[in-house]
Amino acid sequence: MSKNVGIAGIGVYLPDEYITAKEISEATGGVWSESAVIEKLGITRKTRATIGTQEMGAIAAQNCIEDAGICPTEIDVILCMGEEYKEYPLTTSALYIQDKIGAVNAWGIDVQNRCCTTVSVIKMAKDMLVADDEISTVLIAGGYRNGDFIDYNDSDVSMMFNLSDGGGAILLKKNLGKNLVLGSHIIADASLARTAGVEIGGQINPITAENLEESKKSLRLLDAKAMKDRLNQVSMPNWNKCIDKAFEKSGLSKSELDYLAILHIKRSGHDFMLKELGLSQEQSIYLNEYGHIGQVDQILSLKLARDGGKIKDGSVVCLLSAGIGYIWAASIVKWGEQ
């Protein structure tokens, strides 16, 4: 018998506090004007958390469980897509979330692929559900607040001035018969593996008394020229290939696409992608009032679209992401009853 995997629930946690475009401008010392932050970077405001990533993931997971209308004891596996930057290093976020939501019958593991993690984990979760008869329900959840590491005086990282905070969760069930997860495709370019990251605090450059303050704002482009030159060459072709292959694996035509759930990028890039796909502004949501919540973006976009009526029964959705390292991914979802 053919098995299908569907999205049973979606959960999001958004902090109540925000950083405005004006405040970002002031943090750059005026190098970026308020209007440039809004128009070029595409940030009206962005979320700012006072709690950690594990806690945000747990709250989003609870919201997801309520959205799905299930008991947490039904969950078989928790795949945490939350960031490595969390309340306590070397603790397992999936297991923290498991305990907080009471998923006593589950096991969990942390998976990390930077801002590409959610789409990558959706593929992993679907493959697990199809292959393993003992797994029927998988919860994907996690939190993000890498923006803590941003130095607004470092012009090289202006592409990351949009980093914001929040949590997201999505619940997948075997043979749900609706909101089906179809094909996915992922491309990696390992030549960019060490072109961006937190420079201070690891084994090569540990925190010392002398660099303590600097370490707190050390998410940097470790090789800015190499990264930007390479991305200019391959980023858009790789995204297009991911989309094309994901549709091919789904048995659908790209012309059937109804909604694009894409991570927050600069306004011009967002508009260019819509034009490339023949979509209108109404067929996506630009996250300028939220910022870039890392791998939570696709979950947030999907929830906003569902709740706002942008996706309906029969809608074809593309979840599109990219992450430093560098990796690109797309996953296709056919919304509604099948």
Side-chain angles (χ1 to χ4, degrees):
M1 182 185 297
S2 176
K3 298 174 183 177
N4 66 72
V5 173
I7 297 172
I10 307 170
V12 168
Y13 169 77
L14 296 173
D16 293 328
E17 297 183 12
Y18 290 86
I19 298 173
T20 65
K22 183 175 185 292
E23 290 171 316
I24 294 171
S25 171
E26 290 170 349
T28 70
V31 173
W32 281 81
S33 67
E34 181 181 359
S35 61
V37 172
I38 294 171
E39 294 164 13
K40 293 185 178 181
L41 297 182
I43 311 166
T44 306
R45 63 178 190 174
K46 62 177 188 173
T47 52
R48 185 72 180 110
T50 57
I51 59 175
T53 54
Q54 293 176 331
E55 193 65 30
M56 288 190 285
I59 296 171
Q62 185 59 50
N63 292 340
C64 182
I65 290 167
E66 294 170 5
D67 186 65
I70 69 159
C71 177
T73 56
E74 296 177 44
I75 298 170
D76 299 302
V77 180
I78 298 171
L79 299 178
C80 181
M81 52 70 177
E83 266 298 341
E84 292 175 289
Y85 176 54
K86 52 197 172 187
E87 290 90 330
Y88 296 99
L90 302 185
T91 58
T92 305
S93 299
L95 302 187
Y96 179 83
I97 292 170
Q98 177 185 353
D99 182 59
K100 292 289 286 188
I101 64 176
V104 295
N105 296 319
W107 58 270
I109 187 170
D110 293 357
V111 183
Q112 191 39 244
N113 210 9
R114 300 285 79 78
C115 300
C116 215
T117 314
T118 292
V119 180
S120 299
V121 171
I122 284 173
K123 172 176 168 46
M124 294 171 64
K126 179 187 175 183
D127 292 347
M128 293 170 68
L129 285 159
V130 170
D132 193 331
D133 291 338
E134 294 184 351
I135 299 176
S136 296
T137 305
V138 176
L139 174 68
I140 299 167
Y144 185 96
R145 55 177 283 183
N146 286 1
D148 288 5
F149 285 109
I150 292 297
D151 178 0
Y152 292 98
N153 293 306
D154 181 357
S155 59
D156 278 344
V157 297
S158 60
M159 63 180 288
M160 293 191 275
F161 285 177
N162 61 349
L163 298 188
S164 54
D165 308 338
I170 192 164
L171 189 80
L172 301 186
K173 288 186 70 71
K174 183 183 296 179
N175 295 332
L176 185 65
K178 64 178 182 179
N179 310 332
L180 299 188
V181 177
L182 302 178
S184 299
H185 194 74
I186 303 169
I187 296 174
D189 187 337
S191 71
L192 297 168
R194 284 193 175 173
T195 54
V198 177
E199 187 171 17
I200 302 172
Q203 295 162 354
I204 291 176
N205 193 0
I207 294 173
T208 65
E210 290 73 25
N211 67 18
L212 175 60
E213 290 306 312
E214 182 187 0
S215 72
K216 297 175 183 178
K217 301 291 181 184
S218 63
L219 176 50
R220 297 169 175 159
L221 301 192
L222 306 177
D223 190 338
K225 186 178 187 306
M227 178 173 166
K228 291 178 179 180
D229 287 351
R230 183 64 177 160
L231 289 182
N232 286 336
Q233 294 174 12
V234 303
S235 194
M236 196 56 67
N238 283 349
W239 250 345
N240 284 328
K241 184 175 181 181
C242 284
I243 295 168
D244 289 344
K245 294 293 289 184
F247 268 101
E248 180 183 321
K249 294 174 182 179
S250 301
L252 298 173
S253 167
K254 192 164 62 172
S255 63
E256 297 178 72
L257 178 60
D258 296 300
Y259 181 81
L260 180 67
I262 184 174
L263 75 168
H264 182 276
I265 54 178
K266 63 182 181 179
R267 169 67 78 173
S268 61
H270 180 89
D271 292 347
F272 180 80
M273 180 57 74
L274 292 183
K275 185 178 180 180
E276 282 276 288
L277 294 170
L279 301 177
S280 70
Q281 293 290 333
E282 291 301 308
Q283 291 176 283
S284 187
I285 295 175
Y286 191 55
L287 303 174
N288 59 303
E289 294 189 350
Y290 304 92
H292 176 33
I293 315 176
Q295 46 269 41
V296 176
D297 281 5
Q298 290 76 31
I299 297 173
L300 172 60
S301 183
L302 189 63
K303 185 177 188 302
L304 292 172
R306 183 199 66 179
D307 296 351
K310 288 183 179 288
I311 56 174
K312 306 175 178 68
D313 281 3
S315 293
V316 175
V317 178
C318 176
L319 309 178
L320 190 65
S321 63
I324 59 173
Y326 217 91
I327 192 151
W328 300 260
S331 187
I332 308 303
V333 175
K334 183 71 175 291
W335 201 257
E337 299 286 344
Q338 306 299 312

